[in-house]
Amino acid sequence: MVDTSRYEATFNVVDADGDGLIDADELQGVMRVLGEEIDAARAAEVVKAIDADGDGRLSLEEFATFMEQGAAAS
Ligand SMILES: [Ca+2]
Ligand SMILES: [Ca+2]
């Protein structure tokens, strides 16, 4: 179980339009901030890979899981 509260602040920054979900556009934006430029197709792929419930966007829980995996991988 991922501790989502650790990622809530980051999530809220990434969620530029504040709808409580991160879409491919917003993910692309945060990757750019992180210094990793990805194109729209790649962003959509990444969202698809992370998106556990298949709604096409990332909830805080999905995002936290992604961040945990990223932290573990680096
Ligand atoms: Ca959003
Ligand atoms: Ca989702």
Side-chain angles (χ1 to χ4, degrees), residues 16-37:
D17 63 4
D19 66 353
L21 292 163
I22 293 172
D23 59 26
D25 277 356
E26 290 166 344
L27 186 75
Q28 195 180 2
V30 75
M31 293 307 280
R32 187 177 300 129
V33 169
L34 292 172
E36 202 170 324
E37 198 84 34

Side-chain angles (χ1 to χ4, degrees), residues 2 6 17 22 27 29-30 38-39 53 58-59 65-66:
V2 179
R6 284 179 59 196
D17 63 4
I22 293 172
L27 186 75
V30 75
I38 57 174
D39 61 20
D53 62 6
L58 306 181
S59 63
T65 304
F66 167 66

Side-chain angles (χ1 to χ4, degrees), residues 3-15 22 60 63-64 67:
D3 180 8
T4 55
S5 64
R6 284 179 59 196
Y7 300 104
E8 203 167 356
T10 311
F11 183 89
N12 289 335
V13 172
V14 178
D15 180 21
I22 293 172
L60 172 58
F63 179 73
M67 294 300 279

